[in-house]
Amino acid sequence: MTCLDRRDLGLLLLRLGTGGVLAAHGAQKLFGWFGGHGLEGTGQFMESVGYTPGKTSATAAGLAEAGGGTLLALGLATPAAGAAAAGAMAGAATVHMPNGFFAQEGGYEYAASLGLAAAGLAVTGPGRLSLDHALGHVFDRGWMIPAALGATAAATALVIGARNQRLRAKREGEQEVLFEE
């Protein structure tokens, strides 16, 4: 195998693994598969952690994960797929951030790892063992990388910022206990 062949095989494995995990997480949210809670249950959770409206937030996260993951695995529209998945993982990491880094403590390690892998694939490209390559990179042009990542970063910043603002407003409305009985 030449270096290029090894690189393509490595990208295929990374795409299949990362994309498969993301697609499965999205299917949990959208359909309740693999032990997930579907749109209703995930929507309630999303609402409880400040992403409102909950069902709309669950749908957006599920589509970004399932759609982005599936497209990453296929190596199709790789810049948009990787950016969408990375944006969803940034939203997930924000929820877990108060718990620290490590996943065993409920931290953001897992979401950050998936997000970084997806963003890395968006930047690197899918390799020759992909639908993008087979289609002549129609959906994988150089200009699409900064466009997809930039648009996703802006949308993600707005969504996370609005969530954080809602959570701050909720905390400000709550009164702390001054004296314990």
Side-chain angles (χ1 to χ4, degrees):
M1 272 192 177
T2 66
C3 288
L4 186 57
D5 291 306
R6 288 177 41 206
R7 178 183 175 274
D8 292 327
L9 183 58
L11 286 170
L12 174 65
L13 292 172
L14 184 59
R15 285 192 353 258
L16 290 174
T18 303
V21 169
L22 285 162
H25 277 282
Q28 287 180 311
K29 290 173 180 63
L30 294 173
F31 311 117
W33 296 352
F34 312 116
H37 300 288
L39 285 176
E40 289 300 322
T42 304
Q44 291 171 6
F45 171 75
M46 296 290 249
E47 193 89 28
S48 77
V49 295
Y51 287 114
T52 60
K55 194 169 181 180
T56 301
S57 298
T59 301
L63 288 173
E65 291 173 8
T70 299
L71 290 173
L72 277 176
L74 295 171
L76 181 61
T78 304
M89 291 299 98
T94 301
V95 171
H96 294 281
M97 204 162 283
N99 301 322
F101 178 70
F102 292 104
Q104 69 191 30
E105 302 296 325
Y108 64 94
E109 169 188 23
Y110 186 64
S113 295
L114 285 174
L116 287 169
L121 286 165
V123 171
T124 303
R128 291 188 303 173
L129 302 173
S130 67
L131 288 179
D132 275 336
H133 181 75
L135 296 173
H137 295 277
V138 174
F139 304 109
D140 180 32
R141 304 272 186 219
W143 64 267
M144 293 175 180
I145 298 164
L149 291 172
T152 300
T156 302
L158 289 173
V159 169
I160 291 172
R163 171 200 179 255
N164 291 344
Q165 194 172 27
R166 278 189 293 279
L167 292 178
R168 274 192 303 277
K170 184 179 176 184
R171 273 181 273 172
E172 288 173 4
E174 296 173 356
Q175 183 167 345
E176 292 183 37
V177 175
L178 298 176
F179 301 101
E180 289 189 35
E181 295 179 25

